Amino acid sequence: MATKETARATWSGKWAFILAAAASAVGLGNMWRFPYLAAKYGGGAFLLVYVILVVTFGFALMMAETALGRRTGQSAIGAFKCFGKKYAIIGILASAVPFIITPYYALIGGWVTKYMAAYLFEPASVIAGEDYFTGFILQNPETYVWMLVFIALVVVVVALGVKRGIERVNKVLMIALIAMAVGISAFSLTLPGALDGVAYYLIPDFSKFSVELVVAAMGQMFFSLSLAMGIMITYGSYFQKDEDLEHSVRRIEVFDTGIAILAGFMIIPAAVAVQGGAEAVATKAGPGLMFGVLPQVFEGFGFAANAVGFAFFALVFFAALTSCISLFETLVSIVEDGAKRGRTFAIATCAVFVVVVGVIVNMGYNNLLSVDLMYSVFGIGEYQDAQLLDFFDFLSNTIMMPIVALLTCVFVGWIIKPQVIISEVKQSSKFVAEKLFVVMIKYIAPVFVVVILVAYVMNTMGLITL
């Protein structure tokens, strides 16, 4: 195996890497999917399973990807190619994922930006209206403007560079995000009846323990930690050789899990207090929860509705922005390493790509509303029941990411062997969880990934419900 030594940007230290990677992991999935799953699967029972999976399954995959990046000093394609040209296909598949995700993630980021601004200028009762969200996304040129604003912010940060841009912004936004999450959670707990929601959220209801709970927790953990999309390989390639890799990965897990748990504290007790139960959260995930249910919850806060609504969507905006920055930086790194034309060329190319594809995805809610690739390509659902965003989300998250993760496990566990990763980790510190890593990456993680892939395809096809 040969590594390629190139002049490459680096993080200023381990905390810069930890905050950047944590900022990438703390995204929309923590805000709109974690509370939904916790509410649906018995609160504390789901939390317990989720934490166990994060410190085992999630740890093994994140260590493998980050160490591959640091060892090779390359983004995904180059990292796998360093071990032989035939393995570049794994990197190509991993690199395709952020190219699919980033445009539609930027579109959703635009929606979040719109709602954050709306709570400054419109009554909470109007925003909570049944047709407010659909009226915004359907046949509305305003959606393009907000998407472009969001993309512009992302591009500016990445253009400033790894240290001057990504590091500085993440330090500010992560601190602000944590402070706002704690503040909103504390406010939610002051509402009459909120303690019933806390009990529902934290006390395990093992009567709801099931195979579906475990699969749902695996899927949430898998997507939440930014695995199998080239991000951790890219960020690992900027990580200095003398920094403690294992401790850094553990801290990323703590940050991500902590924010996810805080998201539950923000949403579930408030829903129980305002709406009398957690059913509204347990039956809605994704945009339906974020832009439909939660504005109705905030409306119930009375005089504080607009303030809380703005604070919440500002928090979500920070989470979406930091995640999209990591996605866009991954695109830039891939193009820069592949084209050898410099960072400015890579940024311009990626910006044009994200804008063009983002516009096309947005057209799925207006000019291309009749196009249903979920039905046409996969035969899933009823005709015109899904938009372009749904297709790209299904392709990247449900199909490609589990495949990439499985190939990564096989590659590290059985082709180059775990010792390659272990030796990279031990360059700077002991590898305390070495035995756990070997068992997980060779035997357990591949099985988990296959279960996720099969379960999520079946869920999308309506054969099971997660």
Side-chain angles (χ1 to χ4, degrees):
M1 174 271 173
T3 60
K4 183 174 181 177
E5 300 295 334
T6 60
R8 192 171 186 83
T10 59
W11 304 113
S12 60
K14 67 179 180 181
W15 277 105
F17 165 70
I18 291 167
L19 286 175
S24 171
V26 177
L28 292 171
N30 295 76
M31 301 300 167
W32 70 26
R33 198 162 183 274
F34 188 91
Y36 153 75
L37 291 173
K40 182 177 181 179
Y41 290 109
F46 178 83
L47 293 183
L48 179 62
V49 173
Y50 180 82
V51 171
I52 291 172
L53 289 170
V54 165
V55 300
T56 54
F57 177 21
F59 169 78
L61 281 172
M62 186 174 286
M63 282 296 296
E65 292 191 9
T66 308
L68 277 174
R70 189 174 79 166
R71 183 177 180 88
T72 60
Q74 293 283 298
S75 54
I77 297 175
F80 286 100
K81 192 176 180 180
C82 279
F83 297 90
K85 290 184 178 180
K86 61 185 176 181
Y87 301 121
I89 184 62
I90 305 176
I92 292 171
L93 290 174
S95 299
V97 173
F99 275 96
I100 295 171
I101 292 177
T102 307
Y104 77 73
Y105 202 98
L107 173 59
I108 300 172
W111 296 350
V112 173
T113 311
K114 154 69 178 180
Y115 266 66
M116 180 177 66
Y119 273 101
L120 288 176
F121 303 106
E122 300 182 54
S125 58
V126 172
I127 301 171
E130 187 175 339
D131 299 325
Y132 186 87
F133 179 58
T134 54
F136 167 62
I137 64 171
L138 297 177
Q139 305 293 336
N140 191 344
E142 187 185 359
T143 55
Y144 295 93
V145 175
W146 288 111
M147 181 189 72
L148 292 174
V149 168
F150 187 82
I151 292 174
L153 292 171
V154 171
V155 172
V156 167
V157 173
V158 173
L160 288 172
V162 172
K163 290 182 179 178
R164 291 194 305 124
I166 299 172
E167 275 193 25
R168 289 181 179 179
V169 168
N170 282 335
K171 286 177 182 178
V172 174
L173 293 189
M174 282 299 291
I175 292 171
L177 191 152
I178 293 169
M180 293 171 72
V182 171
I184 297 173
S185 298
F187 177 81
S188 295
L189 297 181
T190 65
L191 298 172
L195 292 182
D196 292 334
V198 173
Y200 180 90
Y201 182 43
L202 293 183
I203 298 175
D205 180 0
F206 289 110
S207 68
K208 293 188 178 181
F209 185 85
S210 63
V211 174
E212 288 83 358
L213 182 155
V214 177
V215 172
M218 277 197 294
Q220 174 63 19
M221 177 280 309
F222 181 74
F223 301 132
S224 177
L225 292 176
S226 296
L227 301 172
M229 59 178 77
I231 291 176
M232 296 311 303
I233 295 176
T234 298
Y235 276 15
S237 73
Y238 302 150
F239 197 46
Q240 297 180 36
K241 293 285 187 179
D242 59 347
E243 298 287 0
D244 190 324
L245 195 57
E246 183 180 14
H247 285 181
S248 298
V249 168
R250 288 298 191 193
R251 289 187 176 102
I252 294 165
E253 293 173 341
V254 169
F255 268 106
D256 180 69
T257 304
I259 294 296
I261 291 173
L262 278 175
F265 271 114
M266 285 188 288
I267 293 169
I268 294 175
V272 171
V274 175
Q275 299 191 336
E279 291 76 14
V281 178
T283 56
K284 285 283 188 179
L289 174 62
M290 182 70 67
F291 303 108
V293 173
L294 292 183
Q296 294 174 7
V297 172
F298 298 148
E299 184 187 12
F301 289 178
F303 73 92
N306 277 79
V308 175
F310 171 78
F312 177 81
F313 277 101
L315 183 155
V316 178
F317 169 76
F318 293 160
L321 183 63
T322 53
S323 291
C324 203
I325 287 169
S326 65
L327 284 165
F328 192 77
E329 173 62 29
T330 302
L331 303 189
V332 170
S333 181
I334 292 166
V335 173
E336 186 178 8
D337 289 346
K340 309 296 183 186
R341 293 279 301 275
R343 188 171 175 86
T344 301
F345 171 82
I347 290 172
T349 301
C350 294
V352 171
F353 171 83
V354 171
V355 169
V356 170
V357 179
V359 167
I360 293 172
V361 175
N362 200 5
M363 290 173 67
Y365 291 97
N366 38 77
N367 301 80
L368 300 179
L369 189 60
S370 62
V371 176
D372 187 349
L373 294 182
M374 286 288 285
Y375 181 85
S376 302
V377 176
F378 297 112
I380 294 174
E382 300 294 331
Y383 182 58
Q384 295 188 359
D385 198 31
Q387 281 73 48
L388 290 176
L389 189 153
D390 300 311
F391 170 77
F392 287 121
D393 182 66
F394 176 76
L395 179 64
S396 58
N397 284 267
T398 306
I399 302 294
M400 294 186 66
M401 286 171 61
I403 290 174
V404 170
L406 178 61
L407 292 174
T408 302
C409 289
V410 172
F411 177 76
V412 172
W414 299 96
I415 297 176
I416 65 171
K417 304 298 173 59
Q419 189 58 43
V420 172
I421 301 299
I422 292 168
S423 63
E424 177 62 30
V425 176
K426 286 185 174 180
Q427 280 198 46
S428 53
S429 64
K430 292 181 179 180
F431 195 173
V432 177
E434 177 182 337
K435 292 181 179 179
L436 170 66
F437 172 77
V438 173
V439 172
M440 288 300 303
I441 206 70
K442 291 188 71 173
Y443 304 108
I444 300 177
V447 175
F448 281 1
V449 172
V450 171
V451 170
I452 291 171
L453 176 60
V454 173
Y456 273 77
V457 170
M458 292 177 67
N459 179 70
T460 305
M461 295 179 69
L463 301 177
I464 61 174
T465 301
L466 295 176

